[in-house]
Amino acid sequence: FAYHVRAQGLSVIKIPDEIDLADAGPLFCGGITVFHPMVEYSLSPLAKVGVIGIGGLGHLAVQFLRAWGCHVTAFTTNPSKASDVFAHDRVNSKDANAIKELKGQYDMILSTVNVGLDWDAYMTALKPKGRLHFLGVLTVPVGINNVFGMMEKQKQISGSPVGSPANINKMLNFAARHSIKPITEHFPMKKVNEAFKRLESGKAHYRIVLDL
């Protein structure tokens, strides 16, 4: 932890005045992670997009996608989380049958989770040339059984970490224009150990910020 950072000018980005500094940290991490594929793959504002997992990444993804103009479905096992970020609708992320009933509806599905799910069901929910994009790091292999169906409809699987300085700048300005900000819990620096315990418990709602 530090009060000041020295860096090369090309790597430094001005934070818009409209963004509170306490909100900027999560945007530099989770914000750019979810914003990057929207820009990288020229996502249409008319697209229908699913977000798997409404946590530190997912709650920001829904906000960015809604502001972009997309219809957003939250795939989650917790109904209250979908309401927190005003997703247009919600589907149980572990109900494979319910997901398969959405056959051919989604242009893109963003996965923010780190657990294995029925990925064939999610691939079925994609439109032709649709994309399943991983933002969360899985701890188990991605098992896709219906490879022929993926090839036949030219569906795609991809993943990405964060984005370039140019996209970070776009993300910050977009967030400022649309009043997008993370939902956070704050801890004073002297309670940093409590903050880590809260984080490890998986109950953080949804990002933790340490106040200096």
Side-chain angles (χ1 to χ4, degrees):
F1 304 106
Y3 287 99
H4 303 284
V5 175
R6 184 176 180 179
Q8 293 185 355
L10 291 175
S11 300
V12 176
I13 299 166
K14 183 182 184 300
I15 298 174
D17 294 336
E18 297 89 344
I19 295 179
D20 189 299
L21 294 181
D23 294 328
L27 289 176
F28 272 99
C29 180
I32 183 56
T33 299
V34 302
F35 185 79
H36 175 73
M38 296 165 57
V39 176
E40 185 72 12
Y41 299 112
S42 302
L43 184 66
S44 168
L46 300 177
K48 187 172 184 179
V49 183
V51 178
I52 307 173
I54 307 301
L57 291 174
H59 89 284
L60 285 168
V62 174
Q63 292 184 70
F64 275 105
L65 289 163
R66 279 199 60 128
W68 199 260
C70 301
H71 180 100
V72 189
T73 298
F75 289 93
T76 176
T77 56
N78 190 329
S80 65
K81 288 186 174 182
S83 300
D84 282 347
V85 289
F86 304 106
H88 292 99
D89 41 44
R90 182 190 72 88
V91 176
N92 187 322
S93 57
K94 294 184 178 181
D95 188 340
N97 290 328
I99 296 167
K100 288 177 181 177
E101 290 179 4
L102 303 173
K103 181 178 180 180
Q105 293 191 24
Y106 292 88
D107 299 279
M108 178 182 283
I109 296 176
L110 298 176
S111 173
T112 71
V113 300
N114 62 353
V115 295
L117 295 171
D118 188 337
W119 301 115
D120 279 306
Y122 283 102
M123 292 299 290
T124 298
L126 290 172
K127 294 178 180 179
K129 297 188 177 181
R131 178 182 298 273
L132 173 61
H133 190 82
F134 288 95
L135 299 172
V137 179
L138 292 180
T139 57
V140 294
V142 177
I144 300 294
N145 296 312
N146 188 14
V147 175
F148 178 76
M150 184 178 74
M151 296 169 61
E152 182 183 33
K153 301 295 184 180
Q154 298 183 52
K155 297 178 181 180
Q156 304 166 72
I157 299 175
S158 55
S160 63
V162 293
S164 66
N167 279 345
I168 292 174
N169 189 48
K170 291 178 183 176
M171 178 274 299
L172 289 173
N173 283 288
F174 187 84
R177 178 180 298 179
H178 295 281
S179 300
I180 295 171
K181 61 181 181 179
I183 298 174
T184 57
E185 295 180 0
H186 289 252
F187 287 79
M189 184 60 74
K190 64 182 180 181
K191 293 186 177 181
V192 62
N193 290 330
E194 292 182 27
F196 274 111
K197 288 180 181 178
R198 176 70 170 170
L199 181 65
E200 291 170 354
S201 73
K203 297 179 181 178
H205 194 80
Y206 290 99
R207 289 270 170 164
I208 291 177
V209 175
L210 295 175
D211 295 324
L212 296 176

